[in-house]
Amino acid sequence: MSETATNIHPYSLEIVPPKAEGGSYQWAIRKNGKLMQRSDRSHPSEAKARENGLSQVEKLLSGAGDR
């Protein structure tokens, strides 16, 4: 996974670059280093992947993932 990570304590968002030229970006959310969630769709750019990942982290921070 990419070392490009944004920390949102206790979560971190990792943006996973495409494996091949012209591929799609993915993201992974970790809580205290443990994988919590991965993107379920591909994103055409790093910015789109980051935007989508951050929105998922915001849901987790608001308690939406505690059900």
Side-chain angles (χ1 to χ4, degrees), residues 5-26:
T6 301
N7 289 322
I8 306 112
H9 187 72
Y11 299 99
S12 63
L13 174 64
E14 298 177 48
I15 305 302
V16 183
K19 294 182 183 352
E21 186 69 33
S24 305
Y25 286 84
Q26 301 283 319

Side-chain angles (χ1 to χ4, degrees), residues 10-64:
Y11 299 99
S12 63
L13 174 64
E14 298 177 48
I15 305 302
V16 183
K19 294 182 183 352
E21 186 69 33
S24 305
Y25 286 84
Q26 301 283 319
W27 53 258
I29 297 172
R30 296 182 181 276
K31 182 176 182 180
N32 299 320
K34 183 178 178 184
L35 181 64
M36 295 294 296
Q37 190 174 347
R38 291 183 193 209
S39 55
D40 59 351
R41 48 180 69 122
S42 300
H43 303 280
S45 69
E46 182 176 356
K48 291 286 186 186
R50 185 171 307 281
E51 178 184 329
N52 185 260
L54 284 173
S55 71
Q56 293 301 313
V57 170
E58 289 172 7
K59 288 179 185 177
L60 291 170
L61 289 171
S62 71

